[in-house]
C-alpha cells in the first residue's frame, strides 16, 4: 500500500540568496579598508593587477601612502628590465614618501640611483642577489640617503672600502645585513669587513654576517667598535671560535647571539655550506701527487686501450 504522505520538497540550494541577504560591493568599501586589504598583496600584484580592477581601487592604488613600502622580487616570470620598469613606476607612485624598499634578484646601479634620487627620506634599503648592482652604485646611492637606518646587501658585490664609505654616509645606520656563502673548507680568513664595520658603524644594534670569513680578531673589533649591539648573527662564520673569554665577552655585551653552527631554518636564502673536503692537506681540492697524472701518462697510458687494435692510432686525433 502506497504511503499517503507526500515526498518532502527539495531543500533550497545553500548558495541561493535569501530575501534580505546583502552581498557587499567590493568597489564601495571605505578607502582605508580597501587599502588595508591591498597592502596584503605585493607591489608587483598591485601594479600589474589590483589597480586595474575598478576605478575605486585605482584611486586607492594611486595614494602615495600605499607605496611607503615596496617589496619587489623577480621570481623568474619576466626579465630584469620588466621588473625595473615596474619598480620605477612604484617609486613614482610614492611621490617621495617611500621609506622602505626590498629588491631581490634584479636591479642595477641606475635603478638604485633612481630610488635614491626620488626617496631622500628612505629608512630601509634591502638588496639581495642583485648581481648588476656594484659597489660604486651602492656608494652613490648611500650618499643620497642620510636617514638610512637599515641596509641589507646579501650576495651582492660590495667591497670593504665601499662599506666604510657607506658607514660614513649613513650615520643613523642601526641594522646591517651582509650575507654571503658559508665556507667550511678551504679555510679562508679575512677581517676586512669586520674592521670596516667596527670603524664606521658605531650605532649598529643589529648585525648579520652570515657566512663571513671574519676571525676572532674581527669579532673583537666589532665588539669594541659597536657598543650598542643587541643582535649578532654569526651563522656559518666558521673561522670564529666562540669559546672561552671571547664567548663570555660576546654574551655579556650582546643580548642575542647566533653562533656559527646554529640552525638556519629561518634563513631566507639557500644555506648550503661549501665544504671542499681534502684527503691531502697540501691541496685544497683533495688531490695528491698520486692523483695527478703527467701529460705523457694521460695521453699514452690512459688511452693505450684505443691503440691496442691499431698500431697507427694517434692519441691526439682522439681529441681533435
Amino acid at each position: 500500500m502506497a504511503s499517503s504522505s507526500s515526498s518532502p520538497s527539495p531543500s533550497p540550494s545553500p548558495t541561493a540568496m535569501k530575501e534580505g541577504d546583502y552581498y557587499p560591493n567590493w568597489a564601495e568599501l571605505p578607502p582605508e579598508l580597501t587599502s588595508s586589504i591591498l597592502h596584503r598583496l605585493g607591489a608587483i600584484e598591485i601594479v600589474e593587477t589590483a589597480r586595474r580592477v575598478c576605478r575605486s581601487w585605482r584611486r586607492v592604488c594611486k595614494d602615495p601612502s600605499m607605496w611607503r613600502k615596496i617589496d619587489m622580487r623577480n621570481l623568474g616570470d619576466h626579465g630584469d628590465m620588466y621588473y625595473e620598469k615596474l619598480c620605477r613606476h612604484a617609486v613614482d607612485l610614492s611621490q617621495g614618501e617611500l621609506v622602505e624598499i626590498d629588491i631581490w634578484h634584479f636591479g642595477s646601479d641606475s635603478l638604485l640611483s633612481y630610488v635614491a634620487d626620488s626617496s631622500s627620506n628612505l629608512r630601509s634599503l634591502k638588496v639581495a642577489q642583485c648581481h648588476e648592482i656594484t659597489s660604486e652604485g651602492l656608494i652613490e646611492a648611500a650618499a643620497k640617503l642620510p636617514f638610512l637606518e637599515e641596509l641589507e646587501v646579501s650576495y651582492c658585490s660590495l667591497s670593504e672600502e665601499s662599506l666604510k664609505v657607506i658607514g660614513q654616509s649613513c650615520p643613523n645606520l642601526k641594522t646591517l645585513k651582509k650575507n654571503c656563502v658559508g665556507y667550511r673548507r678551504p679555510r679562508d680568513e679575512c677581517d676586512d669587513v669586520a674592521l670596516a664595520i667596527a670603524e664606521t658603524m658605531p650605532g649598529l644594534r643589529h648585525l648579520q654576517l652570515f657566512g663571513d670569513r671574519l676571525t676572532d680578531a674581527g669579532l673583537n673589533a666589532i665588539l669594541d667598535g659597536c657598543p650598542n649591539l643587541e643582535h649578532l648573527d654569526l651563522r656559518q662564520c666558521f673561522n670564529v671560535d666562540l669559546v672561552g673569554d671571547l664567548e663570555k665577552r660576546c654574551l655579556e655585551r650582546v643580548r642575542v647571539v647566533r653562533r656559527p653552527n646554529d640552525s638556519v631554518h629561518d634563513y631566507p636564502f639557500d644555506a648550503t655550506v661549501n665544504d671542499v673536503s681534502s684527503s691531502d692537506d697540501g691541496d685544497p681540492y683533495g688531490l695528491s701527487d698520486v692523483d695527478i697524472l703527467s701529460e705523457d701518462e694521460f695521453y699514452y697510458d690512459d688511452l693505450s686501450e684505443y691503440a691496442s687494435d691499431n698500431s697507427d692510432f694517434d692519441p691526439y686525433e682522439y681529441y681533435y
Side-chain angles (χ1 to χ4, degrees), residues 115-134:
V115 171
D117 287 336
S118 307
S119 316
S120 59
N121 292 317
L122 197 69
R123 298 298 196 273
S124 174
L125 171 63
K126 300 177 184 178
V127 292
Q129 297 178 336
C130 303
H131 305 301
E132 298 300 319
I133 292 178
T134 67

Side-chain angles (χ1 to χ4, degrees), residues 161-172:
E161 287 302 316
S162 303
L163 203 57
K164 287 184 181 180
V165 176
I166 291 172
Q168 293 163 352
S169 301
C170 305
N172 297 311

Side-chain angles (χ1 to χ4, degrees), residues 38-51 61 66-67 69-73 83 86-87 89-91 93 98 100-102 106:
L38 294 180
H39 266 124
R40 288 161 171 76
L41 300 175
I44 293 173
E45 290 84 355
I46 295 175
V47 173
E48 287 184 327
T49 307
R51 69 192 185 102
C61 291
M66 279 287 296
W67 303 98
K69 177 180 178 179
I70 295 174
D71 185 347
M72 284 205 166
R73 310 181 184 211
Y83 289 104
L86 286 187
C87 191
H89 183 58
V91 170
L93 288 170
L98 181 65
E100 182 177 346
I101 186 167
D102 298 5
F106 75 99

Side-chain angles (χ1 to χ4, degrees), residues 109 112 130-142 156-163 165-166 178:
D109 288 350
L112 211 55
C130 303
H131 305 301
E132 298 300 319
I133 292 178
T134 67
S135 292
E136 292 74 17
L138 284 163
I139 288 176
E140 181 183 339
C156 297
S157 173
L158 181 63
S159 68
E160 292 76 17
E161 287 302 316
S162 303
L163 203 57
V165 176
I166 291 172
K178 187 182 184 303

Side-chain angles (χ1 to χ4, degrees), residues 51 57-67 93 95:
R51 69 192 185 102
W57 282 27
R58 186 174 182 84
R59 283 195 298 270
V60 170
C61 291
K62 290 176 68 176
D63 187 338
S65 66
M66 279 287 296
W67 303 98
L93 288 170
Q95 296 183 26

Side-chain angles (χ1 to χ4, degrees), residues 38 40 85 125 152 154 167 205-206 236-237 243 247 265 270 273 287:
L38 294 180
R40 288 161 171 76
K85 183 178 179 180
L125 171 63
E152 176 171 355
S154 293
R205 287 176 168 78
H206 303 273
Q236 294 195 8
C237 296
V243 296
E247 178 186 30
H265 74 279
D270 180 8
V273 177
L287 298 176

